[in-house]
Amino acid sequence: MEHWVYTLNLAGHAIKMNMDTLITMWFTMFLLIIIAFITTRKVSIVPTKMQAVAEGIINYFSGIAKASMGEDESKKHLPLILTLFMFILTANLAGQLPWHLIHLKTGELAAPTNDINLTAAMAIVVSIYYIYYGVKKKGFHFFVHGFSIDGIIITLVDTLELFVRPFSLALRLFANIFAGEVLVFTIVGMVAYFAPLPFMLFELFVALIQALVFTLLSTTYISMAIKEE
């Protein structure tokens, strides 16, 4: 799929931006802010439906983080983990909106996560985050596991994983969302009524699974970086 590319000249340098991705990304963030405001506006002991859903999501990831990191560390990293899940899930689901009714001169509006630039940016942020806390926790030993044969081999493998992890995170999310939207768009082009519905419902399931996979893998990487063993 083509993108609506806008070129910005900044200090003599041409910076290209995918405007369709930026529009749907900001729409996703605005939607999350509205949902968060509505959910927390009247918090009560007897929760509303939205409050119950929000508390269920928080408790679920809080339990996973506590199990892998411990209670103290989980509280520190839970905001990032929850932000990743809610943003990715909402961005994935945004792709199911009828964006194709809005015609652009070039490109088309779709889920922001079907742009490799966005998924790569999130993966790089996660990598920088866990590397920072890993170095903060372990210092030099985060990169070097000793000068024995075993230590050198593990060091080389871990160094390779520092590059492979963000690439795999970004590519997995992008490929699944992109492929799903292409499939639905193709079916709509062939049979406009009823036939695309099962694929669209399946994409709702894929949106949840991909958000979970990205978030849980990020949680695992952070946990591995800060653990002493």
Side-chain angles (χ1 to χ4, degrees):
M1 295 183 183
E2 295 181 358
H3 289 285
W4 170 21
V5 180
Y6 176 78
T7 303
L8 175 67
N9 291 315
L10 187 63
H13 297 281
I15 301 176
K16 294 185 177 180
M17 300 178 291
N18 293 342
M19 294 302 298
D20 51 339
T21 302
L22 289 176
I23 290 172
T24 52
M25 180 185 71
W26 280 97
F27 170 81
T28 300
M29 292 190 291
F30 178 75
L31 184 61
L32 278 174
I33 291 172
I34 296 298
I35 293 172
F37 175 77
I38 295 173
T39 304
T40 59
R41 188 164 57 94
K42 292 182 179 179
V43 178
S44 62
I45 297 177
V46 180
T48 61
K49 292 181 180 179
M50 290 190 67
Q51 183 183 335
V53 171
E55 289 178 356
I57 294 172
I58 293 173
N59 290 334
Y60 175 75
F61 285 101
S62 178
I64 291 176
K66 286 179 182 179
S68 60
M69 305 177 193
E71 187 169 357
D72 292 336
E73 289 291 344
S74 66
K75 291 179 180 178
K76 186 186 301 181
H77 306 293
L78 194 58
L80 174 69
I81 295 169
L82 289 170
T83 300
L84 282 172
F85 175 75
M86 291 305 303
F87 176 77
I88 295 172
L89 177 61
T90 308
N92 292 347
L93 294 175
Q96 302 304 310
L97 297 176
W99 296 110
H100 300 295
L101 298 177
I102 303 174
H103 298 286
L104 305 176
K105 291 183 178 180
T106 58
E108 60 184 17
L109 299 175
T113 44
N114 86 340
D115 188 342
I116 188 65
N117 296 288
L118 177 64
T119 59
M122 290 192 296
I124 290 171
V125 168
V126 171
S127 298
I128 293 173
Y129 183 90
Y130 78 73
I131 289 173
Y132 168 78
Y133 278 99
V135 172
K136 185 178 179 181
K137 188 82 172 181
K138 302 176 182 178
F140 180 71
H141 293 289
F142 176 78
F143 297 103
V144 179
H145 299 274
F147 296 98
S148 63
I149 297 298
D150 293 342
I152 293 173
I153 292 175
I154 295 174
T155 299
L156 293 174
V157 171
D158 282 354
T159 302
L160 180 62
E161 284 186 341
L162 293 179
F163 298 95
V164 172
R165 284 174 181 173
F167 178 76
S168 65
L169 280 176
L171 191 60
R172 182 186 297 106
L173 178 58
F174 158 73
N176 280 279
I177 301 304
F178 179 77
E181 292 196 352
V182 170
L183 177 62
V184 171
F185 185 75
T186 303
I187 299 297
V188 168
M190 296 171 59
V191 184
Y193 301 101
F194 301 113
L197 186 59
F199 296 95
M200 296 177 70
L201 293 175
F202 180 71
E203 283 305 306
L204 298 180
F205 175 72
V206 171
L208 174 62
I209 293 300
Q210 291 306 314
L212 274 173
V213 168
F214 194 104
T215 307
L216 293 178
L217 284 176
S218 300
T219 304
T220 301
Y221 297 155
I222 296 170
S223 176
M224 291 172 62
I226 62 177
K227 279 188 175 180
E228 292 295 339
E229 59 272 18

